[in-house]
Amino acid sequence: MNHTIVDVRAYHLSHRFRLPPRPQSRGSAVKRDMVLVKLTSSEGVVGYGESYHGHAPTTVADFVNTTLREAVLGEDVHDVEGISFKVYMRYLIGAGLGAAVLHALSGLDMALWDVRGKALGVPAYTLLGGRRREFRAYAGGLNLGFQPPEELIDEIERLRESHGFTAVKLRLGDTVENDLLRVERVREHFGGDLEIMGDANLGYTYSEVYRLLPGLADNAVTWLEEPLTRDNIDGYADMRRRSGVPIAAGENLYGRLELKHWLGRRALDVVQSDCSKTGGVTELKKIGDLAATHQLRFAPHTSHTRLNHAATLHVMSALPSSYVYEADASHDNQFHEELITAELDVVGGLVRPPSKPGLGVTVNEDLLDRFAGIGGAAYAVDRRPR
């Protein structure tokens, strides 16, 4: 059956937090943004995707609603490779908006896989050549920040009791001393029963990282994520050679064309590209294959809603080498609770992708007005200057 794209629409959506945010290296989050992409086929099938907002959600949404929409109207929904190539050649390789193009393409591509699966009556992991696999999940999202160690331990205890998590991501990038204190106290309390990942959110200088690494190694931290800014490939390559802690990154490396330089320089141990940032399901699958070619762990970063989370799990299910899933254990995510639903609960520390056709996610469009976009920065900068 011939399905062509007859409409594409992007929405900037937001919600403010009802509870005090957790301070992190980028500051305290004051609201959550997302860009919802809706695609309609000529047969009336509707699919949804999530584009990362890039701290400029109106820019990303406008690009989808104007330039990207005009480029893909009338295209066959099953021609995902052709559509991705067209966007790459027109707007990314040339004088385009760089990362914003891939953010926008990510939501569109995700929606295409949702439409394709619904049209054929199969889940996306089947279309990708996989099966419904179960993955161990670690607690990520906007939680486990710079609070006192006792509060951090209490929060981890609640996550373990409610969902059975055996692994968590601790936020680093405060000060070396404060970060090591939190890691040491968590390790001391939980012993070897808890796996600890560390995420510095680009928050360290080169010299600070080398002061931090021995303490992380002593406490058996699984990886150190994004300790330096994304432009410092030399620093990452040197750090990986000299470190006793695996180095993780990828969410801010947009697409396999950029990532291949990092892998060629042997700058990473764990590849963490994000389905809503890197070009969508089509590109994330290629990145997972690229990671496997280099015998690296593939542990994708996840964005704000169940659209991204479901798409990520569908891709992971098509890659037997997938390592671990980042679950959103945020203390306040109204998009999950009300706007977007899916069978994605972490039970006993494990999770599987939805089994319904497409991405298996339901969007309640009646609530779009309630979550209309809120202007302004997503983070209040409250960290020490560098």
Side-chain angles (χ1 to χ4, degrees), residues 104-131:
L105 174 61
S106 296
L108 173 71
D109 183 86
M110 206 181 294
L112 280 170
W113 284 91
D114 194 25
V115 166
R116 294 182 68 216
K118 290 174 178 175
L120 297 172
V122 296
Y125 57 74
T126 300
L127 293 179
L128 288 162
R131 61 175 176 81

Side-chain angles (χ1 to χ4, degrees), residues 23-213:
Q24 299 177 5
S25 64
R26 289 177 294 174
S28 296
V30 294
K31 66 183 175 77
R32 191 188 302 271
D33 291 305
M34 73 162 293
V35 176
L36 175 70
V37 178
K38 176 183 177 182
L39 186 148
T40 305
S41 81
S42 55
E43 299 299 316
V45 181
V46 174
Y48 300 95
E50 177 185 352
S51 290
Y52 182 66
H53 56 77
H55 301 282
T58 54
T59 298
V60 176
D62 284 347
F63 186 79
V64 174
N65 286 329
T66 55
T67 306
L68 198 56
R69 181 179 187 275
E70 292 173 4
V72 302
L73 285 179
E75 296 286 352
D76 187 331
V77 298
H78 296 295
D79 187 22
V80 290
E81 291 286 352
I83 291 171
S84 291
F85 184 76
K86 183 178 183 179
V87 173
Y88 259 88
M89 295 306 296
R90 283 194 180 183
Y91 305 116
L92 190 67
I93 302 301
L97 296 174
V101 175
L102 283 178
H103 292 346
L105 174 61
S106 296
L108 173 71
D109 183 86
M110 206 181 294
L112 280 170
W113 284 91
D114 194 25
V115 166
R116 294 182 68 216
K118 290 174 178 175
L120 297 172
V122 296
Y125 57 74
T126 300
L127 293 179
L128 288 162
R131 61 175 176 81
R132 197 181 189 209
R133 290 186 165 89
E134 190 170 60
F135 298 95
R136 192 164 63 95
Y138 71 91
L142 298 177
N143 64 337
L144 302 175
F146 294 165
Q147 61 260 56
E150 293 74 18
E151 293 182 11
L152 196 58
I153 289 168
D154 288 344
E155 185 172 351
I156 294 171
E157 289 280 19
R158 289 193 295 272
L159 290 170
R160 284 164 62 86
E161 291 173 5
S162 60
H163 297 287
F165 284 112
T166 58
V168 299
K169 176 187 284 188
L170 298 186
R171 298 293 176 171
L172 309 178
D174 182 7
T175 67
V176 172
E177 294 73 22
N178 288 344
D179 285 345
L180 287 178
L181 175 62
R182 294 187 188 97
V183 171
E184 289 166 359
R185 292 292 296 275
V186 169
R187 175 58 73 209
E188 178 183 358
H189 181 85
F190 292 100
D193 292 336
L194 183 73
E195 189 172 359
I196 300 172
M197 290 78 166
D199 184 359
N201 289 123
L202 316 175
Y204 274 121
T205 64
Y206 193 73
S207 61
E208 287 174 321
V209 171
Y210 282 98
R211 291 172 49 210
L212 178 75
L213 285 169

